[in-house]
Amino acid sequence: EVQLVESGGGLVQPGRSLKLSCAASGFTFSDYYMAWVRQAPTKGLEWVASISYDGGSTYYRDSVKGRFTISRDNAKSSLYLQMDSLRSEDTATYYCTTDLGWEPDYWGQGVMVTVSS
Amino acid sequence: DIVMTQSPFSLAVSEGEMVTINCKSSQSLLSSGNQKNYLAWYQQKPGQSPKLLIYYASTRQSGVPDRFIGSGSGTDFTLTISDVQAEDLADYYCLQHYSSPLTFGSGTKLEIK
């Protein structure tokens, strides 16, 4: 059974850091690009970042560039999102997913990040 | 950045009816290399994670009922749901993955009367 399980979310003050993790199982993790997608409360979907098979290439939306870092550890079948200098507008549910727009399409259940003082 | 303009914002239909959701991109999503449109459709049911329905504008993902039909090319795309079922209650999003940053449409909320 394929599983993507996110962890590391929570309440954090503006300007502080948080690191999200996503543990994958049930498929060959290293065969796929991976991505983080977020969804602010009652809002739509927003792509955050993507990473290539071996982590050699990374891509970010402009609003997180320089603040967020996507990484992966294929030996541990894990995906990460280091989030620094957090802002209130980063408040959202963050989903770990296989590369967008292709099969196979695997998503985690999402993890909530709330940035507030 | 490629802007995805999705319409309508919401719609309400009875079971058995047909619905059409539109998505227009600010640039062509058609690759000259493989003649594929880099446009996907996602479904997000209440309280659930999104799920891919359609990719390459018209290819259904495995297991997706054939009442979900994707069409269009270039900059204009449509998701048609024929014979709507109660289980189709969800938000629907288009996505362009032709170029970075990947961008979603604003979403369409489908309600069942």
Side-chain angles (χ1 to χ4, degrees):
Chain A
E1 180 194 7
V2 170
Q3 279 196 309
L4 290 172
V5 180
E6 300 100 336
S7 60
L11 174 63
V12 62
Q13 293 179 328
R16 304 297 292 265
S17 299
L18 209 58
K19 186 173 184 177
L20 304 182
S21 299
C22 171
S25 60
F27 66 104
T28 306
F29 181 74
S30 58
D31 281 353
Y32 300 101
Y33 271 57
M34 297 294 295
W36 289 97
V37 171
R38 68 185 180 185
Q39 186 169 35
T42 73
K43 300 297 184 184
L45 301 173
E46 185 174 81
W47 169 77
V48 175
S50 294
I51 188 167
S52 61
Y53 313 105
D54 61 356
S57 296
T58 56
Y59 312 85
Y60 301 92
R61 66 179 303 103
D62 282 350
S63 62
V64 308
K65 210 172 288 184
R67 299 189 300 122
F68 289 12
T69 303
I70 187 172
S71 62
R72 65 192 297 163
D73 184 337
N74 286 342
K76 295 182 178 179
S77 293
S78 292
L79 179 72
Y80 306 100
L81 186 67
Q82 175 69 44
M83 303 185 294
D84 298 324
S85 303
L86 281 161
R87 306 168 180 168
S88 58
E89 54 264 37
D90 297 318
T91 294
T93 296
Y94 285 73
Y95 294 99
C96 163
T97 178
T98 45
D99 195 23
L100 291 171
W102 311 104
E103 289 194 88
D105 173 60
Y106 305 141
W107 291 71
Q109 81 288 351
V111 62
M112 186 68 200
V113 172
T114 302
V115 184
S116 175
S117 54
Chain B
D1 297 4
I2 297 178
V3 176
M4 304 300 291
T5 303
Q6 186 173 340
S7 63
F9 172 76
S10 67
L11 65 168
V13 299
S14 301
E15 284 191 84
E17 292 187 347
M18 183 178 74
V19 303
T20 298
I21 299 170
N22 301 296
C23 196
K24 187 175 183 67
S25 58
S26 60
Q27 300 174 38
S28 176
L29 306 182
L30 179 63
S31 168
S32 57
N34 61 8
Q35 291 300 296
K36 300 287 190 182
N37 287 280
Y38 284 63
L39 186 284
W41 289 97
Y42 284 83
Q43 176 193 61
Q44 186 177 30
K45 294 183 177 181
Q48 296 187 17
S49 302
K51 169 191 168 185
L52 177 69
L53 294 175
I54 303 280
Y55 61 97
Y56 282 153
S58 60
T59 302
R60 271 186 297 274
Q61 188 188 205
S62 306
V64 173
D66 58 9
R67 63 177 183 275
F68 291 91
I69 301 167
S71 62
S73 183
T75 61
D76 291 279
F77 302 91
T78 299
L79 174 68
T80 301
I81 311 172
S82 61
D83 188 24
V84 168
Q85 303 295 301
E87 68 205 50
D88 300 333
L89 168 73
D91 293 330
Y92 293 85
Y93 297 90
C94 60
L95 164 80
Q96 73 79 19
H97 56 117
Y98 180 84
S99 68
S100 185
L102 281 63
T103 44
F104 286 93
S106 54
T108 296
K109 179 177 292 292
L110 175 61
E111 298 175 326
I112 311 299
K113 291 179 186 175

